[in-house]
Amino acid sequence: MIIGIPKEVMPGEYRVSASPETVALMVKEGWHVLVEAGAGEGAYYHDPQYIEAGAEIVTDVQDLYDRAQMILKVKEPLENTNTGKHEVDMMHEGQYLITFIHPAAPANHAMVKRMAAKGIISLTLDGVPRISRAQNLDALTSMSTCAGYKGILLAANYLPRFMPQIFTAVGMIKPVNVLVIGTGVGGLQALATAKRLGAVTYAADIRPDASEQAMSLGAKVIDLGVPAEQAIGEGGYAQQLPHETLLKEREVLAKHVPDMDIIFCSALVPGELAPVLITEDMVKSMRPGSVIVDISIDQGGNCEITPPGEVEVKHHVTCVGIKNIPGLLPTSSTWMFSQNIFNFAKYIIKGDEIVLDRDDEIIQKTLVTIGGELVHKGALEAIAQDK
């Protein structure tokens, strides 16, 4: 089994899909691992470490794509400016790809169709179901952990005030207030990090279990008044609320927003645009110098005026819309991601063959293209809505 690990081509992406540690695990499985020269430099994993782990370093990335049976990546296939080719065009029929594809996103519709037409068999990590036997494959959860931690550090950097309570010769400085909206994996990590930095923490989530977990971390929970039957969808995720309920949720939040120094937004609904919970008027009500970090920006954002991919000061509030926060923590995020993707590859490689059980829930939820067809349910529904 020949595995290819190319260098990520997205500008500013420093993660890589394999660490020297996971390369050693692959070699132990009997796989031959091709690593593009310099692929791990951004994550502080260097070529000699990969060689020591048993990898072959390849300088020509097209050679890597030509030889590999399976490609492991972090981001979806993109244009490689060094070769002048799109990564899909560098792949070949019957080749397997495991990465974050986000196939339902409109920006990726043309790309997934091209993969299907080329006969590429692709599986997307953002489709891994949150079930017990898939926990060690769940890269989305791993990256949410990174985003929660690093997102709060970003907020602390942009905040013009101390985070913790400070006692000085000229008086006491009170700790800041941090509100986390959406206490899934990323939100809980954000709460824990803010607490460690000395902030007073508040949490808001429409799901009772999520609120209870936030309370266990010492957060003061804001009751949004949403009935559980409206709040909880498949797999315990939040579901889209009726417009009238969403308006009431905003009314509750509007009473607390002026008291917050940092608002961390991470409320998501699977397969839907993120709910807008912080309006522009609410931003105007915040103290000058406050910070909003919106990690739900890939799905539109929870704040009405978060700038996608940018950091801007609006109404004297710093709005952070950075899209690849886990990539700002490249060593730790690579270590976690590489473990997840190795476990996924091991899950489907049986001896010298790759076996996809189409009746398996994990394969059903992650399979995007196979046999010249696009088969991902979410992508098909999203493409149908485009027409």
Side-chain angles (χ1 to χ4, degrees), residues 342-377:
F342 164 71
N343 289 331
F344 197 115
K346 187 178 176 182
Y347 185 76
I348 63 173
I349 295 174
K350 313 294 183 187
D352 293 332
E353 295 183 0
I354 300 168
V355 179
L356 298 182
D357 178 359
R358 301 285 291 272
D359 294 324
D360 180 348
E361 183 183 0
I362 294 172
I363 303 305
Q364 287 176 355
K365 295 287 181 67
T366 57
L367 190 59
V368 179
T369 58
I370 189 169
E373 294 183 353
L374 174 60
V375 297
H376 187 272
K377 182 182 175 185

Side-chain angles (χ1 to χ4, degrees), residues 152-164 166 173-174 176-177 260-262 286-292 313 316-319:
I152 288 294
L153 296 187
L154 286 171
N157 278 335
Y158 286 114
L159 194 72
R161 298 184 277 278
F162 286 112
M163 284 275 282
I166 298 286
I173 299 172
K174 292 182 178 180
V176 301
N177 294 328
M260 300 301 154
D261 301 282
I262 293 171
M286 296 179 74
R287 285 191 282 265
S290 298
V291 180
I292 295 172
V313 177
H316 309 292
V317 173
T318 301
C319 299

Side-chain angles (χ1 to χ4, degrees), residues 78-98:
L78 298 165
E79 189 75 26
N80 187 328
T81 55
N82 291 326
T83 63
K85 295 179 183 178
H86 195 284
E87 287 179 310
V88 171
D89 297 327
M90 299 175 74
M91 298 178 72
H92 57 259
E93 183 179 356
Q95 194 165 44
Y96 286 76
L97 170 69
I98 305 175

Side-chain angles (χ1 to χ4, degrees), residues 44-72:
Y44 299 94
Y45 293 124
H46 308 299
D47 289 352
Q49 294 172 274
Y50 286 108
I51 293 169
E52 187 178 347
E56 176 187 346
I57 299 298
V58 179
T59 54
D60 181 356
V61 68
Q62 185 62 67
D63 180 47
L64 180 149
Y65 276 105
D66 289 343
R67 292 167 59 194
Q69 293 162 269
M70 178 182 287
I71 299 291
L72 305 182

Side-chain angles (χ1 to χ4, degrees), residues 310-356:
E310 304 292 339
V311 178
E312 294 179 13
V313 177
K314 298 185 176 185
H315 309 299
H316 309 292
V317 173
T318 301
C319 299
V320 180
I322 295 171
K323 287 195 168 191
N324 184 18
I325 291 177
L328 301 177
L329 198 70
T331 303
S332 290
S333 58
T334 286
W335 185 84
M336 295 175 77
F337 180 89
S338 63
Q339 295 285 340
N340 293 136
I341 202 167
F342 164 71
N343 289 331
F344 197 115
K346 187 178 176 182
Y347 185 76
I348 63 173
I349 295 174
K350 313 294 183 187
D352 293 332
E353 295 183 0
I354 300 168
V355 179
L356 298 182

Side-chain angles (χ1 to χ4, degrees), residues 39 164 296:
S296 65

